[in-house]
């Protein structure tokens, strides 16, 4: 508090009329200050979380011996002034108050001045108010509790009192603070309702008058809250205990302590930090291959397959493990797996975690976090951009691991080309990769290029099986054929080594499940970085946009420094959800997940990964009887496209058979030939996804319950083959998987895509467009 403010306060304090208002203000100010300082220490994220007072405060209550509430009210009354001092404040008072309030507050002096202008009534009342404001809330509570019937109040005072309690029951502040004493948000309104009844029944006139003088709002809330806490502790011990147990079981703080074996090791973490195409993965894989026993964790099945093939070719025997496939190699000590599948039980000499920046991914981030925290390896190589470097440093200081940083530069700078496409796909050249962000656009581009030029296009997008993507990549990389252009979605963005000369962005906006949004800069960098890989036919990379309108955004993205990620993803293990669920019988699994999300506690460096996908499947499986909680949990993580009703239907069928203890069968025919239309192509994609799901389930449940694994594998291989064949001759207009959805573009012929960036950044586009130039930017 500034010295001037204290003087002001002392002056006000000495003026009789304002004595109690100032005291009450100090009261709430001190109270706020206490709470505020605990907030900033214990609520590191903007989202209110439940403080665990055990960690920082001495115990005070005997019945709840490990938490402590509002020490100032109990230990120091707000102003420890003698009676004489109260009557005649001296200049020493300013020092006294100042030393007690070592904080400053915005608007504090203004508030004091405001108080100075308010009149609060008779001398007797003033003294009463001072006494009440200085009283210990425990005493106030006891007085109400032990009192007889409430005294008669005026109509106006009752009305104000009702307003005060209404405002208290709706106070977000009070509801949040109540969490610290284990009054849950859902129980808070009931608790306030009971508190109100209790208060109205027995309160004394002085107290009512004092509250009325404060009026509805912050001051009254701050005054009432500690009394409310006393009431709750005495009246609702069972609710408090139950909620507390629930909160403790949703404790996701200190996740590094979940892996005691990894903590017992002294691990060496090597962070290969740099932009795309700088040799990060290459160098990490060198160590992996030299090791006696190693594991490579991949962000994609396709990349795991690539490493599996590559290291086996180089004579290092390696297994493959993804959610869908297990390929053993005799005498192998090495394994290439998808990051979700990595074992934290096995001991390794060297582990590689590729694309470590994916720790910050809103849905899958938890898998990278788990691998980093839990892998039992003497040496762990992380490959990624610098965005998570700071948080990895913090994690390593928490875990006690040694961190070595190796920084890399791009082998060759990425060059931005301007004014080469001019909105016309006819300007496509061999080695171009045209990037679009929806399946529909991908086929529109392919159709247009093949119709108006002599080029043939390969396609890569998320719904294609890895085998088909790989076949398309090989076709594109191979020079001895007419397929010299690649049309791809963002699925091309990670790790794959393709012979791309130039990445051309068809547009720079994508649908985020709700609306069209600009593609984030980090993703633009990642995708553009696919051009010009070392050792490929085109070591110098180029990138551009189809439309000049988008060029400025591309330049901006590539110039932008990497984000500094502040939080990485976490998701509870099944055991944590199970423990939490035990506190909440009679709710559905999907409700349980929602409750967990609401109540879990996280450190400031972590966020809870999104689980809409999981909740949607949980909802669908709700009616299936006979599944244990663990079965439900596992079914919910099956790789199922939740927007595809056919895939969802098959998942439901698999779960129902499993629950009835029947052998789970595929019950799906095999198409005889490749697709002749887009709807047939979509059907092939869905069938492959269903088979992939079957194989995934067979690896995550008892295999004997899924007796048709061999058949599913054969069918999946054949369908991937049919998909490849279909894509070679695909020359049809794309259809939507969901026909009811409004179409983003017109059906007839090739339409110029509308640039969302253009709309969103109209202002910027009013400026003159950049001159034709070649600009070197390190991506
Ligand atoms: N020292 C090297 N000798 C030979 N080839 C190399 C060397 N370093 C990297 N390469 C090759 O350069 C290409 C790019 O390397 P790498 O895949 O390791 O890059 P990266 O930094 O991991 O890129 P991304 O971020 O896109 O995954 C690969 O084809 C790799 O084989
Ligand atoms: Mg890499």
């Amino acid at each position: 508090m500034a010295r001037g403010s204290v003087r002001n306060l002392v002056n006000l304090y000495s003026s009789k009329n304002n004595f109690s208002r100032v005291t009450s203000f100090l009261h709430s100010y001190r109270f706020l200050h206490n709470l505020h300082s605990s907030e900033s220490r214990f609520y590191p994220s903007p989202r209110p979380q439940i403080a665990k007072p055990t960690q920082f405060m001495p115990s005070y209550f005997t019945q709840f011996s490990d938490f402590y509430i509002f020490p100032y009210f109990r230990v120091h009354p707000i102003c420890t002034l003698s009676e004489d001092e109260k009557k005649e404040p001296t200049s020493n008072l300013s020092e006294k108050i100042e030393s007690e309030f070592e904080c400053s507050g915005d608007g504090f002096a203004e508030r004091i001045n405001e108080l100075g202008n308010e009149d609060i009534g008779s001398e007797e009342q003033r003294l009463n108010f001072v006494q009440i404001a200085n009283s210990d809330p425990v005493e106030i509570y006891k007085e109400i509790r032990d009192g007889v019937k409430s005294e008669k109040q005026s109509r106006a005072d009752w009305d104000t009192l009702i307003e005060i309690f209404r405002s208290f029951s709706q106070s977000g502040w009070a509801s949040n603070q109540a969490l610290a004493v284990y009054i849950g948000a859902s129980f808070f309104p009931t608790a306030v309702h009971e508190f109100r009844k209790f208060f109205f029944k027995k309160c004394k006139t002085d107290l009512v008058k004092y509250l009325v003088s404060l009026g509805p709002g912050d001051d009254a809330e701050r005054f009432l809250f500690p009394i409310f806490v006393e009431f709750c502790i005495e009246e609702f011990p069972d609710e408090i205990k139950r909620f507390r147990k629930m909160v403790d079981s949703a404790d996701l703080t200190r996740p590094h302590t979940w892996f005691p074996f990894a903590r017992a090791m002294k691990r060496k973490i090597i962070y290969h930090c740099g932009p795309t195409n700088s040799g990060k993965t290459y160098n990490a894989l060198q160590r992996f291959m030299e090791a006696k026993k190693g594991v490579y964790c991949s962000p994609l099945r396709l990349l795991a397959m690539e490493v599996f093939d590559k290291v086996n070719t180089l004579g290092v025997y390696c297994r493959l493990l993804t959610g869908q496939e297990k390929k053993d190699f005799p005498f192998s000590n090495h394994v290439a797996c998808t990051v979700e599948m990595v074992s934290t039980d096995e001991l390794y000499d060297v582990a590689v975690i590729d694309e470590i920046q994916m720790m910050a991914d809103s849905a899958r981030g938890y898998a990278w976090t788990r691998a980093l925290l839990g892998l039992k390896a003497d040496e762990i190589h992380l490959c990624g951009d610098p965005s998570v470097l700071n948080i990895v440093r913090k994690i390593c200081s928490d875990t006690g691991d040694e961190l070595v940083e190796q920084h890399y530069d791009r082998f060759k700078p990425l060059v931005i080309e301007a004014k080469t496409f001019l909105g016309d796909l006819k300007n496509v050249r061999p080695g171009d990769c045209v990037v679009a962000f929806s399946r529909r656009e991908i086929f529109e581009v392919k159709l247009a290029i093949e119709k108006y030029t002599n080029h043939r296009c390969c396609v890569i997008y998320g719904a294609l099986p890895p085998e088909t993507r790989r076949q398309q990549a090989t076709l594109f990389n191979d020079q001895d054929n007419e397929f010299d252009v690649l049309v791809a979605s963002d699925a091309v963005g990670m790790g794959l080594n393709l012979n791309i000369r130039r990445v051309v962005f068809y547009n720079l906006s994508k649908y985020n499940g709700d609306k069209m949004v600009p593609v984030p800069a980090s993703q633009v960098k990642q995708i553009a970085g696919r051009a010009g890989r070392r050792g490929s036919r085109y070591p110098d990379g180029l990138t551009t946009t189809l439309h000049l309108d988008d060029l400025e955004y591309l330049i901006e993205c590539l110039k932008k420094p990497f984000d500094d990620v502040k939080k990485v993803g976490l998701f509870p293990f099944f055991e944590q959800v199970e423990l939490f669920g035990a506190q909440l019988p009679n709710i559905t699994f999907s409700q349980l997940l929602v409750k967990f999300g609401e109540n879990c506690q996280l450190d400031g460096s972590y966020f809870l990964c999104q689980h809409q996908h999981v909740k949607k499947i949980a909802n669908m499986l709700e009616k299936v009887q006979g599944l244990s909680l663990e079965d439900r949990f596992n079914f919910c993580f099956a790789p199922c496209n939740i927007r595809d009703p056919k895939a969802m239907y098959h998942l439901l069928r698999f779960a129902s058979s499993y629950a009835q203890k029947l052998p789970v069968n595929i019950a799906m025919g095999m198409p005889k030939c490749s697709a002749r239309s887009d709807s047939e192509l979509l059907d092939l994609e869905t069938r492959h996804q269903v088979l992939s799901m079957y194989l995934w389930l067979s690896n995550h449940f008892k295999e004997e319950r899924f007796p048709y694994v061999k058949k599913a594998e054969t069918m999946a291989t054949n369908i991937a083959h049919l998909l490849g064949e279909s894509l070679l001759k695909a020359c049809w207009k794309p259809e939507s998987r969901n026909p009811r959805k409004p179409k983003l573009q017109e059906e007839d012929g090739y339409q110029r895509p509308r640039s969302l960036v253009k709309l969103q950044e109209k202002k910027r586009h009013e400026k003159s467009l950049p001159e034709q130039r070649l600009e070197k930017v390190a991506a």
Side-chain angles (χ1 to χ4, degrees):
M1 187 195 296
R3 193 166 276 268
S5 314
V6 174
R7 293 266 148 71
N8 258 342
L9 183 68
V10 172
N11 289 340
L12 279 168
Y13 198 86
S14 51
S15 114
K16 284 182 180 174
N17 277 354
N18 288 299
F19 186 82
S20 75
R21 292 309 295 267
V22 172
T23 313
S24 113
F25 174 60
L26 278 176
H27 195 116
S28 58
Y29 188 81
R30 161 67 60 68
F31 186 73
L32 265 176
H33 169 56
N34 286 339
L35 288 170
H36 179 73
S37 45
S38 53
E39 257 172 9
S40 52
R41 267 169 74 193
F42 308 111
Y43 297 163
S45 83
R47 184 171 173 270
Q49 288 167 17
I50 296 154
K52 282 203 94 185
T54 17
Q55 290 157 13
F56 52 87
M57 286 176 175
S59 74
Y60 191 84
F61 294 109
T62 44
Q63 69 269 49
F64 297 101
S65 60
D66 56 351
F67 63 83
Y68 177 84
I69 311 162
F70 320 129
Y72 259 110
F73 287 106
R74 291 165 181 257
V75 184
H76 308 283
I78 189 69
C79 290
T80 43
L81 301 177
S82 67
E83 281 307 307
D84 287 348
E85 275 176 326
K86 278 182 193 168
K87 281 181 203 146
E88 213 172 273
T90 63
S91 56
N92 290 349
L93 188 58
S94 74
E95 242 98 286
K96 197 158 190 175
I97 297 176
E98 198 164 49
S99 68
E100 286 211 15
F101 293 87
E102 330 122 314
C103 55
S104 63
D106 288 343
F108 189 89
E110 290 76 10
R111 179 72 184 119
I112 288 167
N113 287 332
E114 269 171 43
L115 289 168
N117 297 329
E118 293 168 21
D119 184 15
I120 51 112
S122 73
E123 176 68 14
E124 192 189 340
Q125 200 169 53
R126 185 177 71 80
L127 289 173
N128 271 338
F129 285 4
V130 172
Q131 204 182 353
I132 294 170
N134 283 332
S135 302
D136 183 342
V138 187
E139 294 309 319
I140 300 180
Y141 166 70
K142 282 185 185 157
E143 216 173 284
I144 307 173
R145 185 194 60 192
D146 303 335
V148 277
K149 229 174 139 243
S150 168
E151 293 157 17
K152 205 164 164 51
Q153 313 296 340
S154 74
R155 181 68 205 231
D157 283 356
W158 273 125
D159 287 348
T160 313
L161 210 55
I162 288 169
E163 266 315 302
I164 288 171
F165 274 87
R166 181 173 303 143
S167 146
F168 187 70
S169 72
Q170 289 165 359
S171 162
W173 174 85
S175 172
N176 273 340
Q177 296 307 320
L179 292 175
V181 282
Y182 302 104
I183 304 288
S186 56
F187 184 62
F188 178 75
T190 316
V192 176
H193 182 72
E194 292 302 316
F195 178 53
R196 191 186 107 136
K197 278 204 304 207
F198 158 81
F199 193 92
F200 280 21
K201 215 166 167 181
K202 293 189 174 175
C203 63
K204 281 190 156 173
T205 306
D206 286 349
L207 193 56
V208 172
K209 288 268 182 245
Y210 177 66
L211 266 174
V212 168
S213 80
L214 297 179
D218 287 356
D219 286 351
E221 279 162 27
R222 267 65 171 173
F223 175 78
L224 278 177
F225 187 75
I227 308 171
F228 167 72
V229 168
E230 296 300 329
F231 171 77
C232 290
I233 289 170
E234 214 162 279
E235 290 298 313
F236 309 118
D238 293 343
E239 281 82 356
I240 289 176
K241 269 186 200 147
R242 194 181 53 76
F243 185 67
R244 193 179 150 199
K245 233 175 160 184
M246 193 171 95
V247 166
D248 286 350
S249 59
D251 186 354
L252 298 186
T253 56
R254 300 164 55 77
H256 58 279
T257 58
W258 304 349
F259 303 96
F261 289 104
R263 290 300 71 77
M265 295 174 78
K266 174 93 182 124
R267 306 180 310 171
K268 182 174 176 183
I269 314 275
I270 301 103
Y271 194 132
H272 301 266
C273 177
T276 53
N277 192 20
S278 55
K280 306 181 296 291
T281 308
Y282 178 92
N283 282 306
L285 284 178
Q286 295 302 311
R287 281 296 298 140
F288 166 79
M289 289 190 290
E290 284 162 19
K292 277 199 187 127
K293 190 170 175 187
V295 59
Y296 167 79
C297 308
S298 160
L300 300 169
R301 281 172 73 194
L302 187 50
L303 217 56
M305 288 177 189
E306 215 176 73
V307 168
F308 166 77
D309 285 345
K310 186 175 162 184
V311 302
N312 276 314
T313 316
L314 294 171
V316 178
Y317 300 153
C318 180
R319 287 181 295 125
L320 175 70
L321 177 67
T322 72
Q324 287 80 348
E325 64 247 283
K326 285 182 196 159
K327 277 192 192 165
D328 272 333
F329 207 99
F331 313 111
S332 60
N333 282 328
H334 288 67
V335 56
C337 63
T338 41
V339 65
E340 278 88 354
M341 295 299 289
V342 72
S343 160
T344 53
D345 296 330
E346 198 96 8
L347 204 62
Y348 300 101
D349 297 318
V350 170
V352 177
I353 310 177
D354 211 351
E355 307 291 350
I356 188 69
Q357 72 279 358
M358 287 287 286
M359 283 173 103
D361 186 79
S362 60
R364 291 178 66 204
Y366 69 93
W368 277 263
T369 308
R370 170 181 160 269
L372 174 57
L373 294 174
L375 264 168
K376 291 199 294 191
D378 296 322
E379 210 174 287
I380 301 181
H381 293 258
L382 312 177
C383 309
D385 69 34
S387 60
V388 291
L389 180 57
N390 275 331
I391 201 141
V392 167
R393 284 180 182 145
K394 186 187 169 296
I395 290 174
C396 287
S397 78
D398 287 346
T399 55
D401 295 318
E402 178 193 352
L403 176 66
V404 178
E405 295 169 21
Q406 284 182 13
H407 292 268
Y408 294 74
D409 288 323
R410 218 184 126 88
F411 290 128
K412 292 262 180 105
L414 189 65
V415 176
I416 301 179
E417 274 193 340
K419 290 194 181 170
T420 45
F421 255 82
L422 303 168
D424 195 342
L425 281 173
K426 281 186 196 145
N427 292 320
V428 79
R429 295 281 173 272
D432 277 349
C433 170
V434 183
V435 176
F437 292 94
S438 73
R439 183 187 180 280
R440 183 181 176 77
E441 283 177 340
I442 287 169
F443 281 101
E444 276 170 0
V445 172
K446 175 176 160 68
L447 196 65
I449 292 176
E450 292 185 346
K451 187 168 173 187
Y452 298 110
T453 71
N454 292 326
H455 300 284
R456 299 290 312 274
C457 300
C458 298
V459 292
I460 292 182
Y461 54 92
L464 289 179
E467 299 85 345
T468 315
R469 287 194 228 177
R470 204 171 195 199
Q471 179 252 358
Q472 291 287 299
T474 313
L475 199 65
F476 172 70
N477 281 342
D478 189 356
Q479 276 204 296
D480 304 328
N481 63 47
E482 50 189 337
F483 290 89
D484 53 4
V485 173
L486 180 65
V487 187
S489 72
D490 41 355
V492 82
M494 241 178 312
L496 276 180
N497 283 306
L498 292 153
N499 284 333
I500 298 173
R501 185 180 75 94
R502 177 171 63 173
V503 168
V504 182
F505 288 92
Y506 179 69
N507 59 14
L508 280 165
S509 52
K510 69 174 184 179
Y511 188 64
N512 72 353
D514 179 30
K515 55 182 188 300
M516 296 297 286
V517 292
V519 180
S522 56
Q523 209 176 353
V524 172
K525 272 185 209 259
Q526 185 85 24
I527 297 169
R530 299 297 104 206
R533 307 283 287 180
R534 175 170 171 174
S536 83
R537 203 184 320 140
Y538 306 109
D540 301 301
L542 302 170
T543 184
T544 189
T545 55
L546 176 64
H547 301 297
L548 260 181
D549 298 342
D550 289 329
L551 194 63
E552 216 174 318
Y553 183 66
L554 175 65
I555 294 171
E556 198 183 288
C557 290
L558 296 184
K559 277 185 169 166
K560 214 170 166 187
F562 286 96
D563 296 335
D564 182 22
V565 162
K566 298 277 183 268
K567 289 179 185 218
V568 295
L570 266 191
F571 204 77
F573 297 132
F574 165 70
E575 289 76 10
Q576 288 165 307
V577 175
E578 186 185 36
L579 193 68
F580 180 76
Q583 319 302 321
L584 294 164
N586 311 324
I587 65 167
T588 66
F589 180 55
S590 133
Q591 287 165 338
L592 181 64
L593 291 173
V594 174
K595 282 262 173 223
F596 191 95
E598 283 169 5
N599 291 298
C600 74
Q601 302 169 73
L602 295 147
D603 285 346
S605 310
Y606 299 94
F607 63 84
L608 184 70
C609 280
Q610 276 173 16
H611 43 283
Q612 281 88 340
H613 173 273
V614 174
K615 273 192 274 177
K616 183 119 194 226
I617 299 178
N619 273 332
M620 179 182 76
L621 300 184
E622 217 49 75
K623 288 198 185 75
V624 179
Q625 304 284 315
L627 288 177
S628 69
L629 195 67
E630 188 167 9
D631 293 339
R632 284 185 197 281
F633 190 83
N634 285 335
F635 267 105
C636 287
F637 281 90
C640 179
N641 178 0
I642 55 171
R643 286 190 299 262
D644 184 344
K646 282 189 207 154
M648 287 292 267
Y649 158 77
H650 282 284
L651 181 58
L652 179 64
R653 201 173 50 72
F654 293 155
S656 304
S657 302
Y658 186 87
Q660 290 167 47
K661 309 218 172 344
L662 298 170
V664 182
N665 58 45
I666 301 170
M668 193 179 68
M670 180 67 201
K672 297 217 166 32
C673 58
S674 57
R676 285 153 301 181
S677 67
D678 198 48
S679 59
E680 286 186 9
L681 187 68
L682 278 168
D683 182 61
L684 282 178
E685 287 170 17
T686 300
R687 281 172 197 266
H688 193 279
Q689 279 166 22
V690 171
L691 294 164
S692 167
M693 208 152 70
Y694 187 93
L695 292 171
W696 189 94
L697 292 170
S698 74
N699 283 333
H700 288 77
F701 289 89
K702 284 181 199 134
E703 216 172 308
E704 61 269 22
R705 306 293 303 282
F706 293 83
Y708 304 105
V709 169
K710 282 272 163 288
K711 186 179 168 194
E713 279 171 355
T714 312
M715 282 174 78
T717 309
N718 291 341
I719 291 181
H721 188 70
L722 286 181
L723 273 164
E725 273 181 22
S726 312
L727 292 175
L728 294 187
K729 53 186 186 164
C731 57
W732 47 72
K733 283 179 207 156
E735 285 174 20
S736 166
R737 209 176 273 280
N738 181 357
R740 280 167 302 163
K741 244 185 167 174
K743 299 202 166 131
L744 292 172
Q745 301 220 343
E746 289 147 45
E747 282 287 335
D748 259 8
Y750 163 64
Q751 296 286 317
R752 192 193 132 115
R754 289 161 202 140
S755 163
L756 180 103
V757 174
K758 185 181 173 183
L759 291 177
Q760 289 207 344
E761 300 179 3
K762 215 174 170 184
K763 264 193 188 167
R764 209 184 310 155
H765 287 283
E766 280 164 16
K767 287 189 226 155
S768 61
L769 286 164
E771 286 305 299
Q772 179 154 8
R773 63 197 153 131
L774 294 180
E775 191 160 343
K776 287 184 175 183
V777 181

